[in-house]
Amino acid sequence: TILNLNEILEQIKVDCKEDESFDQIITDLNDNTYLDHWARELFENENHRDLALQLYKYYAENPETTSFSDYNTIAEDFASKTLFNQPTFAEKYFKKAESLAKSCDDFIELAISLSETDKVWAIKMYKKAEGLAKSCNDLVKIAENLIEIDKTWSIKLYKKAEKLANSFEDYDAVGENLL
């Protein structure tokens, strides 16, 4: 169960009253701002990790904005083994990010985020990125990020990028990455 913000605030008032940032935390949370920041900060203190996770879950359900980048960042934070380490929540927010991804760059970013936790899903995102690629540069970005997962496919993308190259910069980008 995710606590509501007032319940979280009351718990912070009890658990964190000695924290040097206490007044700022209370001000920001009362203003419903910087929830993600304070959740990450609270997580630094081992005694506040459960409270930090509650605050971050609340933030994830009530983000200030709902863009692809917001949900991708939320998913990355939940997936991070050094931060919240909540794979189920990570998957939920990666799915939200995927539903909002529109561009080749969005799918590349999502694939990079997923590559740590789910290589199969990451490959699917690289395929979507390739389908949206419009330039030599797009293909080079996919290839350079994909190479650790699938070297053969990455090389094919570099060759495809080379065929689209039409400037010195394009050829330089392809060549630089093949060295």
Side-chain angles (χ1 to χ4, degrees):
T1 308
I2 299 173
L3 300 176
N4 69 42
L5 190 54
N6 286 331
E7 293 169 319
I8 295 168
L9 264 166
E10 291 307 312
Q11 193 64 46
I12 288 173
K13 287 176 183 175
V14 172
D15 292 354
C16 305
K17 62 183 173 231
E18 302 300 320
D19 192 295
E20 64 185 48
S21 302
F22 177 76
D23 291 336
Q24 191 62 52
I25 294 170
I26 298 303
T27 299
D28 288 344
L29 269 53
N30 275 323
D31 291 342
N32 200 27
T33 57
Y34 304 111
L35 305 183
D36 56 331
H37 166 77
W38 289 117
R40 288 186 202 98
E41 287 292 317
L42 288 170
F43 194 82
E44 299 278 326
N45 182 325
E46 225 171 275
N47 298 323
H48 301 318
R49 289 201 169 156
D50 289 339
L51 187 56
L53 182 57
Q54 279 295 322
L55 180 57
Y56 203 77
K57 285 179 179 178
Y58 175 83
Y59 164 74
E61 289 297 314
N62 304 281
E64 293 171 31
T65 59
T66 55
S67 70
F68 160 77
S69 291
D70 294 322
Y71 283 128
N72 194 49
T73 300
I74 290 168
E76 287 176 330
D77 287 347
F78 278 131
S80 172
K81 291 187 184 342
T82 58
L83 193 54
F84 298 115
N85 195 19
Q86 299 285 312
T88 305
F89 280 96
E91 181 179 355
K92 174 182 177 180
Y93 290 99
F94 278 131
K95 285 179 181 175
K96 284 187 178 197
E98 181 181 359
S99 74
L100 294 171
K102 292 180 175 72
S103 69
C104 179
D105 284 341
D106 288 348
F107 285 105
I108 293 170
E109 186 178 335
L110 185 55
I112 292 167
S113 299
L114 285 163
S115 64
E116 291 287 319
T117 56
D118 191 332
K119 291 192 185 337
V120 172
W121 194 356
I123 286 171
K124 289 178 185 174
M125 297 305 98
Y126 282 123
K127 285 181 181 171
K128 287 186 178 187
E130 182 182 8
L132 294 170
K134 294 181 175 126
S135 69
C136 172
N137 191 39
D138 287 342
L139 292 169
V140 167
K141 281 191 279 186
I142 297 165
E144 69 189 4
N145 287 293
L146 176 65
I147 200 155
E148 296 298 319
I149 297 173
D150 189 330
K151 191 173 185 176
T152 304
W153 182 20
S154 183
I155 291 169
K156 286 178 185 174
L157 289 174
Y158 280 122
K159 288 178 181 177
K160 190 174 173 182
E162 185 178 23
K163 289 177 184 170
L164 290 177
N166 58 19
S167 70
F168 172 79
E169 289 79 17
D170 288 347
Y171 286 108
D172 186 47
V174 173
E176 181 180 308
N177 286 287
L178 288 175
L179 294 177

